[in-house]
């Protein structure tokens, strides 16, 4: 089935070619924030989109017997420092980010 970018998909770069996609994942703010915090603790400051990528990579890996998975992390965490994404409870961070669109 054809997939089209929608307004609620956030920023859609002009080089995006939806014909090469074979599936699309939706990630909740909570799952993205949780993975972002884990990534930041283990590796380096990461952004919320990077957390979403890690969350999806884990979901895909769970369905495979054996595979190497490569992830491209689309953002650093610098633009989220003032949002509270890295402190307090996940619920507080999710509430603080509710309704914000990052591009």
């Amino acid at each position: 089935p054809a997939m089209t970018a929608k307004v609620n998909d956030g920023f859609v770069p002009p080089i995006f070619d939806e014909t090469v996609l074979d599936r699309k994942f939706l990630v909740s703010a909570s799952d993205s924030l949780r993975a972002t915090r884990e990534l930041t603790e283990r590796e380096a400051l990461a952004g919320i989109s990077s957390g979403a990528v890690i969350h999806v990579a884990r979901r895909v890996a769970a369905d495979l017997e054996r595979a190497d998975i490569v992830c491209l992390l689309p953002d650093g965490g610098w633009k989220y420092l003032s949002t509270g994404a890295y402190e307090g409870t996940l619920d507080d961070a999710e509430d603080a980010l509710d309704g914000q669109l990052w591009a």
Side-chain angles (χ1 to χ4, degrees):
M3 288 181 249
T4 57
K6 297 178 179 64
V7 173
N8 63 353
D9 286 343
F11 174 73
V12 179
I15 62 169
F16 174 69
D17 180 1
E18 64 189 82
T19 64
V20 300
L21 297 180
D22 62 359
R23 56 188 157 166
K24 183 178 178 178
F25 294 88
L26 297 176
V27 180
S28 70
S30 178
D31 288 335
S32 181
L33 283 167
R34 186 176 298 106
T36 299
R37 286 182 176 194
E38 290 173 11
L39 183 59
T40 297
E41 283 179 21
R42 292 181 182 186
E43 299 296 332
L45 184 63
I48 296 170
S49 296
S50 293
V53 169
I54 295 298
H55 176 78
V56 169
R58 289 175 179 161
R59 285 174 50 188
V60 170
D63 292 338
L64 302 174
E65 279 188 40
R66 179 173 164 85
D68 293 324
I69 297 176
V70 175
C71 298
L72 301 178
L73 302 182
D75 59 354
W78 59 268
K79 69 181 177 182
Y80 303 103
L81 290 174
S82 64
T83 66
Y86 304 98
E87 54 197 36
T89 68
L90 285 173
D91 288 337
D92 291 343
E94 187 175 351
D95 288 345
L97 295 172
D98 188 35
Q100 296 187 43
L101 178 63
W102 303 95

